[in-house]
Amino acid sequence: MTALQVLDMQDNDNITGMFPPTLKNLCNLQEVVFTGTNLGGDITEQMERLPRCAWDKLQALNLDATNMTGNLPVWLGNMTNLMDFSVSGNQLSGPVPLGLGALTKLTVLYLGQNNLTGIISEGHLANLRNMVILDLSYTYLKVVVGSTWTPPFKVIRAQLASCQLGPGFPVLFKHQKGINYIDVSNAGIADAIPNLQAPELAALVLFSNYIPGSVPLSICDLQILAILDLSNNLLVGELPQCRVASLGISTLLLENNSLSGEFPSFLRSCTKITFLDLARNNFHGSLPKWIGDLSSLVIFRLRSNMFSGQIPSEITELEDLQYLDLAKNNISGIIPQSLATLKGMSSENQDPRQTGLNGPFVQTSERFGEVMEFEWYDDSLFVAIKGRELPYSSQLKYMVSIDLSSNNLVGNVPEEVGSLIGLINLNLSFNQLTGNIPYQIGVLQSLESLDLSHNQLSGEIPQTLSNLTSLGEFNLSYNNLSGRIPSGPQLNTLHTDDPASMYIGNTGLCGHPLPNNCSENETPHGHPIGEDNNVWSTEMSFTLGIIVGFLLGLWLVFCALLFKKTWRIAYFRLFDNLYDRAYVFVVVSWALWFRQASASSST
């Protein structure tokens, strides 16, 4: 019987154990794959079922997401030919055995997303000179190495998110010039970003640390850097002005720092950028008109800064834009009218990969280097929706939203907003908007949150808003609205604890849920979406009928006068007689009036 070399049971639901007795001739096994199977049980007991004659021959052992528990076996170092060891996404606990350091041929180590504890020391790493991928992310491990220690390996990918690495910047990355991906987010780092000399770096993820100082100028030298996430740190000052023809950045996340200066001018050369987040900083000045040149932009967040001036109309040239957040700034002027050109908001359930969206919220197949694919990492954003801020991570790629709240915007709400049928969130609250609420909003069937409160909107509430069957949040309070409040199956289910809060501050409104009743002649008006074309057709038909009838009658009279000589003579004689009579009447009336006026003056 031929000796088995590869055992691949990936995603098999019928497995009851790693090496059942029915399997024979396992001594020459080189690769074992159980990824995605529900093996369960203690990992040491499962691995001990492998005959010892195979321990020094096994090269790859993949047990990711197999629901295993327990501690890693202390005899792990006996698998001297092991090159790929992957046990991520399980419920493993306890320390990592020091025998790991004996695996001198190890190139790939995935221990992430477990409950592992203890210390990773120089002894664990000193002999792993062939390692290129290291994943300890989302564990409770603490990496402790000397400040002068130089790692023997040249890693390409390092995932150490949520490990305890700080307070200094990890020396693991010293002399790692070929590194392609670094994720040391939420790692307790309280040290400044060093000058990186890693020309192959494509992703640098440092969010949720305590990193002080400024963003170093050396960032500009990373020509293939695609993802830079420095959000939730203590960074200050202006961003470096990179003087390069173009940068390859597709994702730039700088939220929640103390960065300042005007809108970064180097972004003009970042023509591939899809995700730009400068929210919660101290940026100021106006938005540049060249923002329309960032044609790949999908998510654009400037929330909670000090930007001023008007929203450039060029922003409507961003056809792929699906998330726009300019809330809590000092922006004035009107809302751009050409919203219909925002095609990224004009379709429902769009696949984000079709727009080229990359970064923390989309898993892609784009290859960084020649070794691995970029995968989603666990950053998240707080989105103001449904009256509160909710965290979004992987779901953000499906969020279609416009939030312009808490600014100084004036003018009307553009009717073109009705063309953005993919909208899930529309928040224009706390501005100075006037005019009527566009009835076209009633076609936005995906809309879950609509907030137009604290403006100066007037007129009646369109009956079409009762068509919004997906609404979970609705607020029209503190405007100048009047008339009867419309009702509908979805509107009647909102804010059941205090439904009047949706309409409070509009003294002209009446009807449920407000206490003041409507008079009989107050009926809800609007333009029902299904009847709007019929109304328009009826009015146009009536108008056209009058015009056509008048022209037809005039033509008939003209033809009769043209071809009937006797009618033409009689017609002009009639006008002569009418003229004579009018002339005599005017002359006689004038003479009588003049005599009476003269007699009155003489007496």
Side-chain angles (χ1 to χ4, degrees):
M1 183 178 292
T2 305
L4 190 65
Q5 292 185 327
V6 177
L7 177 61
D8 189 348
M9 307 298 290
Q10 183 172 345
D11 298 321
N12 193 319
D13 296 330
N14 299 318
I15 301 299
T16 57
M18 280 184 63
F19 305 105
T22 54
L23 288 177
K24 306 296 183 180
N25 300 323
L26 300 179
C27 287
N28 292 318
L29 266 181
Q30 297 180 13
E31 182 178 354
V32 175
V33 180
F34 282 92
T35 300
T37 61
N38 189 23
L39 286 173
D42 185 89
I43 188 172
T44 299
E45 294 179 2
Q46 293 278 17
M47 291 180 63
E48 283 178 344
R49 296 181 182 180
L50 178 67
R52 295 199 176 192
C53 58
W55 284 12
D56 61 348
K57 299 180 180 66
L58 194 64
Q59 297 179 12
L61 180 58
N62 297 314
L63 303 175
D64 296 325
T66 52
N67 199 29
M68 285 189 172
T69 60
N71 298 349
L72 292 171
V74 294
W75 44 262
L76 185 63
N78 294 331
M79 296 182 170
T80 53
N81 275 313
L82 198 61
M83 301 171 62
D84 182 347
F85 184 53
S86 301
V87 292
S88 62
N90 284 291
Q91 304 174 44
L92 305 180
S93 57
V96 177
L98 196 60
L100 178 74
L103 305 178
T104 58
K105 295 184 179 180
L106 196 66
T107 59
V108 176
L109 177 62
Y110 281 104
L111 302 180
Q113 301 178 60
N114 280 290
N115 298 319
L116 298 171
T117 58
I119 292 175
I120 297 293
S121 64
E122 294 179 18
H124 289 88
L125 305 173
N127 296 319
L128 305 182
R129 54 183 176 272
N130 292 306
M131 188 164 59
V132 295
I133 298 179
L134 174 63
D135 179 10
L136 308 177
S137 60
Y138 304 106
T139 64
Y140 301 98
L141 294 169
K142 183 176 183 179
V143 179
V144 179
V145 295
S147 59
T148 60
W149 181 72
T150 300
F153 43 75
K154 303 296 183 183
V155 293
I156 296 177
R157 185 186 189 96
Q159 297 174 237
L160 305 174
S162 295
C163 290
Q164 300 178 54
L165 300 175
F169 204 87
V171 298
L172 285 174
F173 307 121
K174 188 184 297 183
H175 308 300
Q176 302 293 324
K177 292 187 177 182
I179 196 166
N180 184 269
Y181 181 102
I182 298 176
D183 183 356
V184 287
S185 56
N186 192 29
I189 299 173
D191 197 6
I193 302 174
N195 288 323
L196 301 171
Q197 304 297 327
E200 301 299 320
L201 192 62
L204 179 60
V205 182
L206 303 176
F207 71 87
S208 296
N209 282 290
Y210 307 94
I211 299 174
S214 59
V215 179
L217 184 61
S218 60
I219 290 290
C220 300
D221 298 328
L222 305 176
Q223 292 296 296
I224 68 169
L225 186 67
I227 298 171
L228 179 61
D229 189 348
L230 305 178
S231 55
N232 296 308
N233 278 288
L234 304 175
L235 296 168
V236 297
E238 298 188 10
L239 294 176
Q241 297 301 317
C242 301
R243 301 184 182 278
V244 294
S246 65
L247 290 172
I249 290 181
S250 63
T251 298
L252 178 61
L253 309 182
L254 302 177
E255 180 193 11
N256 196 25
N257 282 282
S258 296
L259 297 167
S260 58
E262 296 189 347
F263 192 85
S265 60
F266 79 89
L267 290 174
R268 191 170 191 175
S269 61
C270 298
T271 55
K272 297 179 181 179
I273 196 163
T274 60
F275 193 165
L276 176 59
D277 187 359
L278 305 181
R280 294 182 173 88
N281 280 285
N282 299 319
F283 292 107
H284 63 270
S286 58
L287 302 183
K289 292 183 178 297
W290 51 258
I291 202 164
D293 297 335
L294 305 180
S295 57
S296 299
L297 204 57
V298 177
I299 298 179
F300 186 32
R301 300 182 80 231
L302 301 182
R303 183 183 191 88
S304 298
N305 279 283
M306 295 182 288
F307 288 110
S308 57
Q310 299 187 5
I311 301 175
S313 60
E314 288 78 7
I315 205 168
T316 61
E317 298 174 8
L318 303 175
E319 294 187 357
D320 291 335
L321 190 67
Q322 69 179 47
Y323 188 104
L324 175 63
D325 187 351
L326 306 181
K328 296 187 177 181
N329 281 282
N330 298 316
I331 298 173
S332 57
I334 65 171
I335 300 174
Q337 302 295 304
S338 303
L339 297 179
T341 58
L342 297 175
K343 296 180 180 179
M345 300 184 183
S346 301
S347 59
E348 299 176 279
N349 303 321
Q350 183 168 334
D351 186 342
R353 287 168 292 188
Q354 293 178 354
T355 64
L357 181 62
N358 203 346
F361 308 110
V362 179
Q363 188 170 6
T364 73
S365 59
E366 181 176 348
R367 303 187 68 84
F368 290 153
E370 300 178 353
V371 179
M372 77 292 291
E373 297 177 352
F374 172 74
E375 296 174 355
W376 170 77
Y377 61 89
D378 194 21
D379 198 355
S380 63
L381 296 178
F382 282 87
V383 178
I385 183 174
K386 300 183 179 180
R388 55 194 183 275
E389 291 196 348
L390 301 176
Y392 278 73
S393 53
S394 59
Q395 311 98 320
L396 186 66
K397 59 182 176 284
Y398 300 110
M399 173 59 68
V400 181
S401 172
I402 293 179
D403 191 342
L404 307 179
S405 61
S406 300
N407 280 289
N408 300 310
L409 296 172
V410 297
N412 298 336
V413 178
E415 295 181 355
E416 289 80 359
V417 72
S419 65
L420 308 180
I421 61 173
L423 269 182
I424 294 175
N425 177 48
L426 177 60
N427 190 346
L428 306 179
S429 63
F430 290 94
N431 280 288
Q432 302 172 38
L433 299 173
T434 56
N436 297 334
I437 298 175
Y439 70 88
Q440 291 88 345
I441 291 179
V443 303
L444 304 179
Q445 292 298 302
S446 297
L447 201 62
E448 298 179 9
S449 181
L450 174 62
D451 192 347
L452 304 178
S453 64
H454 295 271
N455 280 287
Q456 300 171 27
L457 299 172
S458 58
E460 297 185 347
I461 301 174
Q463 181 67 30
T464 56
L465 297 190
S466 62
N467 298 332
L468 301 176
T469 56
S470 299
L471 271 185
E473 174 63 25
F474 182 58
N475 194 347
L476 302 181
S477 63
Y478 298 100
N479 279 285
N480 298 320
L481 299 171
S482 59
R484 184 186 295 269
I485 296 174
S487 62
Q490 188 66 23
L491 291 179
N492 295 342
T493 65
L494 302 177
H495 289 270
T496 53
D497 55 334
D498 184 14
S501 63
M502 297 185 288
Y503 307 102
I504 193 172
N506 293 280
T507 56
L509 288 178
C510 62
H512 180 79
L514 296 178
N516 47 321
N517 295 324
C518 297
S519 60
E520 293 183 0
N521 60 348
E522 286 180 307
T523 57
H525 291 83
H527 295 265
I529 300 304
E531 300 176 4
D532 184 62
N533 289 335
N534 294 335
V535 172
W536 182 87
S537 299
T538 301
E539 292 177 351
M540 286 300 297
S541 298
F542 180 73
T543 304
L544 287 173
I546 293 176
I547 295 173
V548 171
F550 174 77
L551 293 176
L552 182 60
L554 187 62
W555 176 251
L556 289 175
V557 172
F558 175 77
C559 289
L561 296 177
L562 181 63
F563 297 106
K564 287 288 187 178
K565 182 177 181 180
T566 56
W567 287 18
R568 186 165 64 248
I569 293 173
Y571 178 77
F572 286 113
R573 281 179 180 176
L574 175 62
F575 266 93
D576 286 341
N577 290 334
L578 290 175
Y579 171 78
D580 291 340
R581 290 182 182 182
Y583 176 78
V584 172
F585 175 78
V586 171
V587 171
V588 172
S589 298
W590 174 261
L592 289 174
W593 178 83
F594 184 76
R595 287 177 183 177
Q596 291 175 357
S598 299
S600 298
S601 61
S602 62
T603 57

